[in-house]
Amino acid sequence: DQQVKQNSPSLSVQEGRISILNCDYTNSMFDYFLWYKKYPAEGPTFLISISSIKDKNEDGRFTVFLNKSAKHLSLHIVPSQPGDSAVYFCAASEQGAQKLVFGQGTRLTINP
Amino acid sequence: DVKVTQSSRYLVKRTGEKVFLECVQDMDHENMFWYRQDPGLGLRLIYFSYDVKMKEKGDIPEGYSVSREKKERFSLILESASTNQTSMYLCASSLDLGGGRRTDTQYFGPGTRLTVL
């Protein structure tokens, strides 16, 4: 049972435009959400997170939006750059838990 | 900078062999994790450890065991490797802030691509 779902396996965006990656979750006990980025032959690296008490968190070109009622979050990258081409994983955790539950990942390709 | 290292980048083993995957972190983190990454399935947690000699099952522990004898080292063991354990294995560590507080940043190693023939 996939508690965190990324329904788009891949996304292609033109350089300079906005990239929007989506993530849905089913477990209402999740209260913290994260995005990780993974390049080939490397481990995932933390990108940005958001607590369930917020609906938006911004860090430079990256913004995460959380819609608790819809159990949906999204990552916006503006403007998209070629170096953003990677696989992006959405992850979630429950209060007090040390472990994360990851989605399937979305491969983002930024075209020049 | 946190560094998480894994003993091998690529490993080829035969069915039935016992396989050891080693992970070492250098930041005195309490928590360590083993995941496998498969296409279309994302990262799935196999086991994690929140202290020396402590371990908890993740979502897919069957066919695996772990060992944490020292704080910096977390080993994943495949007692009898099978072809369906061919995968990318990722180790991660994180700091425990204590008092029920959570640290979300898990630092990952580069991964070990294991092929079981």
Side-chain angles (χ1 to χ4, degrees):
Chain A
D1 181 29
Q2 194 83 25
Q3 297 184 71
V4 178
K5 298 180 183 179
Q6 295 174 255
N7 292 316
S8 297
S10 62
L11 177 67
S12 187
V13 174
Q14 193 171 3
E15 182 179 359
R17 307 292 285 265
I18 183 171
S19 296
I20 300 176
L21 294 95
N22 293 303
C23 179
D24 297 295
Y25 61 96
T26 58
N27 186 345
S28 57
M29 299 300 291
F30 288 148
D31 70 340
Y32 213 96
F33 305 89
L34 308 90
W35 287 93
Y36 278 76
K37 177 179 180 179
K38 185 181 185 299
Y39 291 120
E42 294 183 14
T45 54
F46 169 73
L47 192 58
I48 192 169
S49 63
I50 187 167
S51 164
S52 60
I53 62 173
K54 293 184 175 181
D55 54 19
K56 177 183 173 181
N57 189 26
E58 193 171 351
D59 183 2
R61 295 185 298 112
F62 303 92
T63 303
V64 56
F65 295 92
L66 175 62
N67 182 335
K68 291 185 289 294
S69 61
K71 293 192 176 67
H72 177 83
L73 65 156
S74 60
L75 174 68
H76 292 211
I77 306 173
V78 182
S80 300
Q81 299 174 355
D84 296 330
S85 294
V87 177
Y88 290 79
F89 291 98
C90 170
S93 67
E94 296 182 22
Q95 185 176 16
Q98 299 289 340
K99 64 177 187 176
L100 298 175
V101 179
F102 284 84
Q104 305 97 309
T106 296
R107 181 177 301 279
L108 175 65
T109 302
I110 305 301
N111 302 307
Chain B
D1 271 357
V2 174
K3 192 165 186 184
V4 179
T5 56
Q6 296 183 227
S7 51
S8 305
R9 294 301 298 271
Y10 299 93
L11 209 52
V12 180
K13 295 291 181 181
R14 298 208 174 271
T15 301
E17 280 193 79
K18 190 168 186 175
V19 182
F20 292 87
L21 302 182
E22 304 285 341
C23 175
V24 177
Q25 51 95 2
D26 66 357
M27 282 301 289
D28 204 34
H29 285 174
E30 290 79 13
N31 304 317
M32 296 189 75
F33 308 83
W34 274 107
Y35 296 89
R36 61 178 282 178
Q37 181 193 356
D38 300 289
L41 298 176
L43 277 69
R44 293 180 293 166
L45 182 64
I46 304 171
Y47 266 97
F48 67 103
S49 168
Y50 50 89
D51 202 350
V52 175
K53 297 192 186 294
M54 305 302 288
K55 61 184 179 184
E56 283 199 25
K57 293 180 180 179
D59 300 316
I60 51 164
E62 296 78 20
Y64 304 94
S65 62
V66 290
S67 172
R68 192 159 180 208
E69 297 296 320
K70 293 185 177 181
K71 192 174 185 180
E72 68 271 17
R73 187 179 297 269
F74 192 33
S75 303
L76 180 70
I77 304 152
L78 287 67
E79 295 290 341
S80 177
S82 63
T83 54
N84 62 14
Q85 292 178 309
T86 292
S87 185
M88 169 68 80
Y89 290 88
L90 292 160
C91 174
S93 71
S94 70
L95 186 65
D96 187 345
L97 295 175
R101 290 178 297 164
R102 176 185 47 209
T103 179
D104 311 291
T105 304
Q106 291 187 11
Y107 296 87
F108 283 83
T112 296
R113 182 162 294 282
L114 172 68
T115 302
V116 182
L117 302 175

